[in-house]
């Protein structure tokens, strides 16, 4: 660094290390204004605590979605509740930062 320059260091907020994966998934989002519907997305990275997905549909931070994740080596989709922590528009698509909500999902 030159004299007078400052180095800004930011601490990573994630508790879990993310793995880069490129896998197609769907998620469901509902709000009082719209019905629940399946929306296509691609996972960019994932960890035990959350994921980053890319989708064509905007979601507001704070909203809750149900991500349907495929299990490795088995033809089975696993539902995971997640809160949208952030959303960024990039080249006409939306990147969503999801934090998984721990707990059990009750099946009807």
């Amino acid at each position: 660094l030159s004299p007078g320059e400052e180095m800004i260091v930011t601490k990573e907020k994630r508790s879990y290390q993310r793995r880069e994966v490129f896998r197609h998934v769907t998620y469901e989002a509902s709000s009082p204004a719209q019905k629940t519907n399946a929306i296509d997305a691609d996972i960019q990275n994932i960890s035990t605590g959350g994921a980053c997905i890319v989708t064509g549909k905007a979601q507001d931070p704070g909203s809750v979605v149900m991500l349907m994740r495929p299990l490795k080596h088995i033809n089975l989709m696993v539902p995971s509740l997640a809160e949208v922590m952030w959303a960024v528009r990039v080249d006409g698509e939306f990147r969503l930062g999801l934090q998984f909500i721990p707990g059990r999902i009750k099946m009807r």
Side-chain angles (χ1 to χ4, degrees):
L1 294 175
S2 302
E5 286 185 323
E6 244 182 272
M7 179 184 278
I8 299 172
V9 178
T10 59
K11 184 179 178 193
E12 180 66 47
K13 293 182 182 180
R14 294 184 182 119
S15 300
Y16 305 98
Q17 185 176 1
R18 298 259 173 133
R19 287 181 301 130
E20 282 192 24
V21 294
F22 298 96
R23 183 169 294 153
H24 182 75
V25 293
T26 59
Y27 70 93
E28 294 180 1
S30 65
S31 71
Q34 67 183 26
K35 292 181 181 179
T36 300
N37 55 342
I39 302 164
D40 290 323
D42 292 308
I43 294 178
Q44 278 200 326
N45 62 56
I46 193 165
S47 74
T48 303
C52 175
I53 65 172
V54 177
T55 180
K57 181 113 170 99
Q59 298 295 325
D60 292 327
S63 61
V64 175
V65 299
M66 181 164 317
L67 187 67
M68 301 302 290
R69 298 185 294 160
L71 282 182
K72 256 186 180 177
H73 311 297
I74 301 175
N75 189 19
L76 182 66
M77 300 297 275
V78 177
S80 299
L81 285 176
E83 180 180 357
V84 178
M85 302 306 291
W86 53 266
V88 178
R89 187 178 185 144
V90 178
D91 297 328
E93 295 183 312
F94 296 91
R95 279 200 175 113
L96 307 179
L98 305 179
Q99 181 177 16
F100 296 133
I101 300 170
R104 297 183 181 163
I105 297 173
K106 293 183 180 180
M107 304 302 272
R108 293 184 208 194

